[in-house]
Amino acid sequence: MATDDDRLREYRGKRDFGRTREPSGREAGAVAGPRFVVQIHDARRMHFDFRLQVGDVLRSWSVPKGPSDDPHDKRLAVPTEDHPLEYEDFEGVIPRGEYGGGTVIVWDRGTYEPLSHDRRGRPVDFAESLERGHATFRLHGSKLRGEYALTRFRGDGERGEENAWLLVKKAEGHAAAHGTPDPRRARSVTTGRTLAQVAADDGR
Ligand code: MN
């Protein structure tokens, strides 16, 4: 059976999605599952927000340097408050003086497969694996693809600055790693815009 990728090969072959704002058709993906989104947030300090749908909320981590597809990069991820599912669509300007004031773009999004298992290799509930402080999952995004792990190395599970996790890509095959692009040059996966363009469009 033809996959979505096969059916859209011609459409995608004609387009450079770094230049056109047309959809790449990779959003929903062939793999169903809970959603993930990575937003770039030009707030007081530039950071990436990494969010995984768990039940009816987006569990969230602030990742100062952003997720990397290089397995050698161990990226600090500080837990933040749960966000509503609709937040995956949010791109625009949060007014100055408001919480998180600054510009947000949707850098990547898609679905993920929970992969968490116990020491004997048996699958465990994903939410429970997060409570225990170690969760593994496979991302199916437009930019981020493959297996990642979130591991708590400091704190007791409550949210806040005293809690710290690492977000790390698992080494797989010989896929070329790109690290993380410069957040000021990165483009929205949904609209193709940079932070500066969103600020100009929405900030007036
Ligand atoms: Mn943020």
Side-chain angles (χ1 to χ4, degrees):
M1 208 176 81
T3 66
D4 284 355
D5 271 358
D6 292 333
R7 288 198 299 264
L8 292 174
R9 185 170 296 153
E10 183 181 349
Y11 172 88
R12 292 195 184 106
K14 293 176 175 172
R15 291 167 175 82
D16 178 351
F17 296 104
R19 294 182 176 277
T20 177
R21 294 181 187 180
E22 295 168 290
S24 68
R26 295 195 187 276
E27 292 288 309
V31 181
R35 307 284 305 168
F36 85 93
V37 61
V38 181
Q39 283 147 323
I40 302 179
H41 188 178
D42 185 13
R44 201 149 43 91
R45 273 185 295 182
M46 179 78 76
H47 62 276
F48 291 63
D49 286 300
F50 184 82
R51 312 186 197 280
L52 296 173
Q53 178 186 3
V54 179
D56 56 3
V57 295
L58 294 171
R59 294 286 300 269
S60 299
W61 290 259
S62 174
V63 183
K65 289 186 173 176
S68 173
D69 62 359
D70 184 337
H72 297 105
D73 290 337
K74 294 175 170 53
R75 291 294 165 80
L76 175 67
V78 178
T80 58
E81 76 277 23
D82 293 346
H83 279 52
L85 296 183
E86 306 92 279
Y87 208 88
E88 83 161 77
D89 294 320
F90 180 71
E91 179 166 290
V93 175
I94 302 169
R96 205 173 301 175
E98 298 300 309
Y99 180 76
T103 308
V104 176
I105 63 171
V106 178
W107 181 64
D108 195 18
R109 65 179 181 176
T111 59
Y112 74 92
E113 289 172 70
L115 299 175
S116 298
H117 50 74
D118 66 16
R119 290 198 176 97
R120 294 180 184 175
R122 294 175 302 201
V124 299
D125 178 71
F126 192 74
E128 192 183 321
S129 72
L130 285 173
E131 294 313 311
R132 291 182 184 177
H134 180 67
T136 54
F137 45 91
R138 179 174 298 280
L139 298 178
H140 300 277
S142 298
K143 294 165 182 165
L144 297 180
R145 290 167 171 270
E147 188 176 334
Y148 284 77
L150 268 168
T151 307
R152 187 170 58 224
F153 68 93
R154 195 171 69 218
D156 59 5
E158 297 301 315
R159 294 180 185 91
E161 288 286 342
E162 66 279 12
N163 280 274
W165 298 59
L166 291 175
L167 176 63
V168 182
K169 173 86 163 62
K170 185 184 176 183
E172 292 176 294
H174 5 262
H178 306 96
T180 307
D182 176 354
R184 297 202 179 277
R185 299 180 62 185
R187 289 181 182 275
S188 163
V189 73
T190 57
T191 64
R193 295 180 297 173
T194 62
L195 283 165
Q197 287 169 333
V198 170
D201 290 349
D202 300 5
R204 49 176 79 119

